[in-house]
Amino acid sequence: MRITGVRLVATTVLAALTLAMGACADDSGSDAGAGSGTDTGSNSSGTIKEGLKVAFLPKQVNNPYFDTSDNKGGKVAVGEFKGTFSQTGPSEASPSAQVSYINTLSQQQTDVIVVSANDKDAICGALTEAKSAGAKIVTYDSDTKPECRDVFVNQATADGIAKSQIKLISDAVGADGGEIAILSATANATNQNAWIEMMKTELAKPEYSKLKLVDTVYGDDKDEKSFQEAQGLLAKHPNLKGIISPTTVGVAAAARYLSGSSYKGKVQLTGLGTPNQMRAFVKDGTVKAFALWNPADLGYLAAYAGGALASGMITGKEGDKFKAGKLGDYTVGANGEIVLGDPFTFDSSNIDQFNF
Amino acid sequence: MAVETPVREPVSPPRATARGLLGSWDLLVLVALVLVVVVGTLTIDGVGNPRFYRFVVLEAIPIALIALPMTLIVITGEIDLSVASTVGLTCSVMGKLWQSGLTSLPALIAISLVLGAVLGAVNGLFVTVFGLPSLAVTIGTLALYRGLAYVVLGDKAVADYPVEWTRDMIAPIPGTVIPWFVLVVAALAVLFGVLLHATPIGRGLYAIGNNAEASAYSGIAVMRTKFWLFVATGVVAALAGVFWTFRFASARADNADGLELSVVAAVLLGGVSIFGGRGGLLGVVAAVALLGTLRNALQLADVPANALTIVTGTLLIASVVGPNVVRMARGRLRRRPPEERTQP
Amino acid sequence: MTALPTAPPGPTGPTAPTEQSAPTTAVHRVFVVRELGIALALLLLVAVTFATNTRFLSAQNVKDLLLGSTILAILAVGQAIVIITRNVDLSVGSILGLAAFATGTMLQSAPGLPIPVAIVVGMALGAACGAVNGGLIAAARVPALVVTLGTLYVFRGIDYTWATGRQINAADMPHGFLRMGNASILGIPVLALFAVVVLVAAGLFLRWYRSGRELYAIGSDPDAARLYGIPVGRRVFWAFVTSGALAGLAGVLHAARFGTIDANAGLGQELNVVAAVVVGGVAIFGGSGSVYGAALGAVLLTTIGSALPVLGINPFWQRAAVGALILAAIGLDRSLAVRMARRLRGGSDRGR
């Protein structure tokens, strides 16, 4: 009796596993044919090779921002140069889980890994290992250490973002100035911290002498936490006049809080947000103006940069030039950085023209 | 090899001895592991590759480490949910010490292990001296230790360790691709395995899990045993913290967040009863390997992370529901003949 | 008096202080004292914070505090009912996320849907999830901790797979629904009224209904309850269905309050809920405590979260404070239980 019982369970489990494995085998079959190019000869004036395997690895797969950049930008670009696009990644934004996915991509002999770093240092080792296995590494949105990747596609320079954000909050608050605060993402986010530093530099200029930065809080790019942090800011600083939230999750949460509170219209808000998320709040007067680049363009440019690298058209050194499809020509800057452009300002006059 | 020796035991933990070293569940998990490896190698590109196992092992090391003492704790009917927070606090303290100029690696490791022992002792103290349920205590210290990790290091990361340290921690055994640190895990596994399966202390652990009161009356130092188990768990979790810091070259307060669930999942899948008194180390080690291999293989087969979440949960539920359904079915079959033994 | 078994002597007894179906005055008093204790701690915290910054009690901030506590309190009521039966439900955060996303999707595609329908559908979805938990636990006789840890992953995975990076924005949802998330009646937010109704209903059920009191008996001693003829499996099943339905309701309210919903809603919430319940004096091994205590625990935890930044304490201390509070609360419960056991034993010796 005992033996049969065990055998029954064993058979069931084995059958289930076999089924699962069979299903997986089907999935992987489609990729198996696409070999990685071995031709590393100079190709500086040529075109991007066909059949490149380009994988996008966002901070987490369940984030609409990355859904737009990867599936509406990267995927289009990879289709244009006839490569194989894939998006993979952890369900939660953790560095250790991202390392695991980098390892997987490197084993799959991916030609280009396009990654947004959850931690500047933690994924460095895995990226180096993937690089030595033949992959080209492009970081986008959030960078790792320069020696661990080939190029970094920057959505905008820290300087450009800081200038635009301070200008927007200053215009919104008005000539009298007052106390302002920053609602950021996670405190380890490389890009956020660079922007905040530049904003402080910008605030030191005489024309902004009436604005006083009193606090920086972190919403961890979680809607709920950002909402509560916005609420906390107002409870803590009675004289607060404005909030800058340079992250799409944070600015939407803060706008949502302000629009339903008695502070609506009295406390100004600006930041980096997507038009679809912010439309309602621009129309009801909670937010006068905010900025962003087009995340789809960011993914698009990153894919082309990766394609150019893997085809030997560029190497990532300063001065390298390449053409990124409909976006036109780009030049690699210092430290292997490629800048998408200046952030774009959205307000009630133009917001209806955008849909992302 | 097996601990079948019918010695005069004060309290007989019936299931423990009857199961022997290799229970049927352990065997089942091992078979599943072999199957995943074989099927994976045949059907998924890259699973046969030695590099695959290097990555699997690297990922499994922290879970395997903590699962060893956790097995012993769960066998005594307790649980420690604070282990991942202990890892995080160790990482934070190590980062802080390094930042403030302590550059001796042995000293850093020694301080970390002592810290782990203290954190484990706090758990042990609350559970044994104050007699509080370990589930509630370690949910409390889960929050407390993680909170302290943030207090110590804030939300900064400390990452400027010497390259040799971070490289050496994941260096392979010469001539292979398997990280040398796996030998540390193996040594600890043998240590805990012998303790659990071949000593009176181990038999005592099963006895405590089956009936703490009865084993107390029969002379087993229940409280002292449990206390030292929590200390051991703290030390091993701190060791995992040391490994984590150098493996990722980054000490952060949120290191290993949520790892406690992976460890508990592995221990339960390994056949240890959450009520105590049943299970063995071999099954747990096999379960850690099974979960790690399956996860990486499916990842390699482009199964999305979201679906992997469902697989993990389903396996966990199946690991408790499966044996119970079998036991019930067997019970029903056995009850049919009239010459059934008297009710237990 | 005979209905009361004495608490196990010595530190070995892991069983919680036992409160039987008909609480005697002595036992009852201890638990009233216990709830008063939390209320007192809450008052003290509010007073100190108010003294530091009077804005802490501004109308807006009080509204925010109530709104902030609402969702956690509703989850805590469901969790308390489950824990009283000596079980635990770790999947509530995932059920909340699933229900919130379902509500958002539903209202997005059918903006004209009446709000009560949305609430009923959300609760029904939660109840279905709870029935999965309860069914596995009651029918296969497996520990709740393991099953709900498994369904924590499974429900979240379903939510993730369904959403796959999509987000539902405030602009996509009907105005009436979002207005409910912010509206107040006589200064009390509408959402908080939901919590009050849930709390009072659960409180009355546990106190005055036979099946409610049987939950305490099950938690005190499942085997004895079974021998006594209580349908343990069925009661436990319904406890999980209730917890699931309340988590579903919390998901709907989450959608109304936050407006923006992605697949991560309620992530990691389960530990906060268990913490609130434990701080509120519900013994983790069942058989004692009340939903009022659990709700008070939820309010206390939320208030700590808002008070720390106002007090100028680094918010990094928040989690550590919650941990310390849990340890203090279970320590207090233990010492109360020991004292009570001693008093009861002393009383019967003297033949009082």
Side-chain angles (χ1 to χ4, degrees):
Chain A
M1 275 310 145
R2 182 183 169 81
I3 301 298
T4 24
V6 171
R7 201 172 291 159
L8 183 76
V9 180
T11 326
T12 321
V13 170
L14 299 197
L17 283 170
T18 320
L19 276 176
M21 284 300 167
C24 306
D26 288 345
D27 287 351
S28 64
S30 59
D31 288 356
S36 59
T38 45
D39 176 17
T40 48
S42 173
N43 185 17
S44 55
S45 60
T47 49
I48 294 175
K49 282 189 291 196
E50 288 185 14
L52 289 175
K53 283 165 77 174
V54 183
F56 275 70
L57 178 53
K59 285 183 179 170
Q60 59 170 112
V61 286
N62 297 306
N63 182 327
Y65 173 83
F66 290 112
D67 190 47
T68 309
S69 67
D70 300 358
N71 291 317
K72 302 219 169 91
K75 195 175 183 176
V76 176
V78 175
E80 282 174 11
F81 57 75
K82 299 194 173 59
T84 315
F85 167 87
S86 65
Q87 189 211 31
T88 182
S91 20
E92 286 164 48
S94 108
S96 56
Q98 215 171 16
V99 164
S100 171
Y101 278 92
I102 294 169
N103 291 340
T104 298
L105 289 174
S106 126
Q107 290 174 75
Q108 289 174 330
Q109 272 135 35
T110 310
D111 298 303
V112 181
I113 300 177
V114 184
V115 55
S116 173
N118 275 325
D119 180 307
K120 181 158 86 46
D121 303 280
I123 64 167
C124 201
L127 285 180
T128 312
E129 211 166 333
K131 228 159 122 182
S132 61
K136 297 294 179 191
I137 312 294
V138 178
T139 51
Y140 71 127
D141 176 67
S142 183
D143 199 10
T144 174
K145 292 194 278 193
E147 65 267 28
C148 310
R149 44 83 174 158
D150 293 296
V151 296
F152 169 44
V153 177
N154 200 344
Q155 45 270 60
T157 57
D159 190 44
I161 288 172
K163 279 198 171 113
S164 116
Q165 296 285 290
I166 298 296
K167 175 90 173 48
L168 286 173
I169 199 71
S170 169
D171 288 350
V173 167
D176 292 341
E179 292 182 357
I180 59 166
I182 295 174
L183 169 63
S184 176
T186 60
N188 285 340
T190 327
N191 48 2
Q192 294 276 329
N193 291 341
W195 302 341
I196 293 170
E197 277 315 301
M198 297 301 293
M199 283 187 218
K200 287 180 183 161
T201 319
E202 192 66 16
L203 280 171
K205 292 183 177 168
E207 62 260 43
Y208 298 124
S209 58
K210 287 192 175 155
L211 290 178
K212 186 163 163 262
L213 179 64
V214 289
D215 210 345
T216 302
V217 294
Y218 302 95
D220 292 348
D221 262 352
K222 287 179 191 143
D223 189 65
E224 237 170 292
K225 175 108 193 291
S226 307
F227 191 95
Q228 277 148 10
E229 289 294 338
Q231 179 182 315
L233 273 178
L234 289 158
K236 190 168 154 197
H237 304 288
N239 299 319
L240 200 68
K241 287 280 180 296
I243 299 175
I244 303 174
S245 184
T247 159
T248 54
V249 179
V251 76
R256 174 102 185 94
Y257 172 68
L258 286 179
S259 86
S261 77
S262 57
Y263 305 116
K264 177 175 163 183
K266 295 180 196 136
V267 176
Q268 301 300 327
L269 171 70
T270 192
L272 302 174
T274 69
N276 282 359
Q277 275 181 323
M278 300 299 289
R279 187 164 291 122
F281 307 116
V282 169
K283 295 203 163 157
D284 76 2
T286 309
V287 176
K288 287 179 183 154
F290 64 96
L292 193 69
W293 50 91
N294 187 337
D297 285 350
L298 181 68
Y300 187 90
L301 177 59
Y304 265 99
L309 277 167
S311 310
M313 292 157 62
I314 60 171
T315 60
K317 71 171 191 299
E318 192 170 352
D320 278 354
K321 287 184 172 38
F322 67 101
K323 185 171 188 311
K326 62 168 190 199
L327 291 178
D329 293 315
Y330 280 88
T331 308
V332 180
N335 275 328
E337 268 193 39
I338 302 167
V339 180
L340 178 65
D342 277 333
F344 183 83
T345 302
F346 301 90
D347 56 28
S348 58
S349 71
N350 65 13
I351 193 163
D352 281 333
Q353 298 158 24
F354 298 91
N355 182 25
F356 66 87
Chain B
M1 178 94 172
V3 274
E4 295 288 299
T5 37
V7 280
R8 9 88 268 171
E9 282 175 359
V11 190
S12 66
R15 279 166 181 154
T17 36
R19 276 172 76 88
L21 189 58
L22 195 68
S24 56
W25 186 260
D26 298 2
L27 197 65
L28 199 67
V29 178
L30 268 177
V31 170
L33 172 64
V34 171
L35 198 84
V36 167
V37 169
V38 171
V39 176
T41 311
L42 292 178
T43 58
I44 301 171
D45 238 14
V47 173
N49 197 319
R51 270 181 79 213
F52 172 79
Y53 293 100
R54 170 177 162 71
F55 293 139
V56 169
V57 168
L58 275 176
E59 259 172 58
I61 282 174
I63 298 175
L65 273 177
I66 303 174
L68 298 174
M70 182 75 90
T71 303
L72 274 58
I73 286 205
V74 178
I75 284 176
T76 63
E78 303 287 345
I79 196 162
D80 185 350
L81 294 179
S82 71
V83 284
S85 299
T86 303
V87 173
L89 183 49
T90 312
C91 289
S92 277
V93 168
M94 225 164 70
K96 192 77 191 171
L97 288 173
W98 164 257
Q99 223 176 21
S100 50
L102 184 71
T103 53
S104 147
L105 184 58
L108 279 174
I109 294 178
I111 293 175
S112 299
L113 297 185
V114 171
L115 173 69
V118 172
L119 298 180
V122 170
N123 284 333
L125 207 69
F126 275 107
V127 173
T128 58
V129 177
F130 302 136
L132 300 174
S134 57
L135 182 65
V137 167
T138 56
I139 284 179
T141 50
L142 179 155
L144 178 65
Y145 296 166
R146 183 65 71 184
L148 291 177
Y150 277 101
V151 170
V152 168
L153 205 58
D155 30 27
K156 285 180 272 305
V158 177
D160 52 349
Y161 301 102
V163 180
E164 309 85 66
W165 292 8
T166 55
R167 195 190 49 212
D168 291 351
M169 187 56 79
I170 56 168
I173 304 165
T176 68
V177 294
I178 301 301
W180 69 270
F181 204 86
V182 84
L183 298 178
V184 177
V185 180
L188 281 173
V190 170
L191 184 77
F192 280 107
V194 168
L195 184 73
L196 180 64
H197 294 291
T199 66
I201 298 174
R203 283 193 292 279
L205 297 183
Y206 285 105
I208 294 171
N210 278 319
N211 191 337
E213 236 159 294
S215 48
Y217 286 124
S218 60
I220 296 172
V222 176
M223 289 303 140
R224 207 190 313 151
T225 310
K226 284 185 178 176
F227 176 81
W228 286 110
L229 279 183
F230 278 102
V231 173
T233 310
V235 173
V236 175
L239 182 63
V242 172
F243 175 79
W244 195 286
T245 302
F246 294 132
R247 149 118 165 91
F248 293 109
S250 181
R252 293 161 45 129
D254 64 350
N255 275 1
D257 203 5
L259 193 76
E260 70 277 353
L261 296 186
S262 307
V263 173
V264 171
V267 169
L268 297 177
L269 185 62
V272 179
S273 161
I274 191 83
F275 297 126
R278 221 147 31 83
L281 259 187
L282 196 68
V284 171
V285 171
V288 171
L290 173 66
L291 283 175
T293 314
L294 187 66
R295 192 175 177 83
N296 276 273
L298 292 179
Q299 212 165 288
L300 210 47
D302 287 329
V303 174
N306 296 337
L308 285 181
T309 314
I310 302 181
V311 171
T312 310
T314 313
L315 267 181
L316 187 57
I317 296 173
S319 76
V320 288
V321 172
N324 256 26
V325 169
V326 171
R327 208 172 301 136
M328 280 183 190
R330 203 187 291 155
R332 202 162 298 158
L333 285 174
R334 205 181 288 155
R335 213 166 294 137
R336 210 164 289 159
E339 65 274 20
E340 171 62 51
R341 63 197 158 83
T342 48
Q343 282 292 312
Chain C
M1 290 278 163
T2 46
L4 266 174
T6 49
T12 29
T15 34
T18 43
E19 185 190 23
Q20 282 297 59
S21 44
T24 61
T25 44
V27 183
H28 194 60
R29 205 180 306 131
V30 168
F31 287 100
V32 170
V33 166
R34 183 66 179 73
E35 279 146 26
L36 276 179
I38 316 164
L40 221 65
L42 184 61
L43 274 180
L44 195 70
L45 177 68
V46 171
V48 169
T49 319
F50 181 67
T52 313
N53 184 341
T54 50
R55 211 178 187 198
F56 190 66
L57 285 186
S58 69
Q60 178 64 40
N61 208 48
V62 168
K63 182 185 164 198
D64 290 340
L65 271 180
L66 288 174
L67 275 176
S69 315
T70 295
I71 291 172
L72 191 60
I74 291 178
L75 291 173
V77 167
Q79 188 72 257
I81 293 174
V82 168
I83 290 185
I84 282 170
T85 67
R86 199 182 280 194
N87 284 290
V88 70
D89 186 352
L90 295 180
S91 68
V92 286
S94 300
I95 297 180
L96 185 157
L98 198 56
F101 197 79
T103 309
T105 314
M106 190 168 62
L107 288 173
Q108 191 180 17
S109 50
L113 206 69
I115 294 175
V117 175
I119 293 174
V120 168
V121 172
M123 288 183 77
L125 179 66
C129 293
V132 172
N133 285 333
L136 282 169
I137 291 158
R141 299 263 179 90
V142 284
L145 185 74
V146 190
V147 169
T148 56
L149 181 59
T151 52
L152 177 154
Y153 287 114
V154 173
F155 295 153
R156 181 65 67 184
I158 294 172
D159 189 15
Y160 279 154
T161 309
W162 185 10
T164 48
R166 266 188 312 138
Q167 174 168 354
I168 294 162
N169 299 312
D172 304 332
M173 280 203 277
H175 272 288
F177 185 66
L178 294 179
R179 216 175 303 125
M180 180 182 84
N182 265 305
S184 300
I185 295 172
L186 300 175
I188 299 170
V190 173
L191 296 196
L193 292 177
F194 277 97
V196 171
V197 170
V198 164
L199 175 63
V200 170
L204 291 178
F205 168 72
L206 288 180
R207 183 105 173 80
W208 296 110
Y209 279 77
R210 186 189 172 84
S211 45
R213 294 200 312 277
E214 283 174 359
L215 296 181
Y216 285 97
I218 294 169
S220 297
D221 191 339
D223 294 330
R226 202 167 276 129
L227 283 178
Y228 186 71
I230 297 172
V232 174
R234 208 187 315 154
R235 293 278 179 274
V236 168
F237 174 79
W238 283 108
F240 275 94
V241 172
T242 308
S243 166
L246 290 181
L249 175 65
V252 177
L253 302 189
H254 180 104
R257 176 171 182 233
F258 293 102
T260 312
I261 314 153
D262 60 19
N264 288 315
L267 193 69
Q269 195 65 274
E270 56 282 345
L271 286 182
N272 289 336
V273 179
V274 174
V277 171
V278 168
V279 166
V282 179
I284 197 90
F285 279 127
S288 83
S290 77
V291 288
Y292 305 111
L296 270 174
V299 177
L300 181 60
L301 290 196
T302 314
T303 312
I304 290 178
S306 327
L308 286 186
V310 178
L311 288 171
I313 297 171
N314 189 327
F316 293 136
W317 278 100
Q318 184 185 337
R319 233 193 286 204
V322 170
L325 194 64
I326 297 173
L327 294 177
I330 54 176
L332 180 71
D333 287 342
R334 178 74 200 168
S335 68
L336 279 178
V338 169
R339 268 229 320 263
M340 186 174 76
R342 201 172 297 149
R343 195 190 316 155
L344 287 170
R345 218 177 307 142
S348 62
D349 281 352
R350 263 177 272 124
R352 185 154 54 110

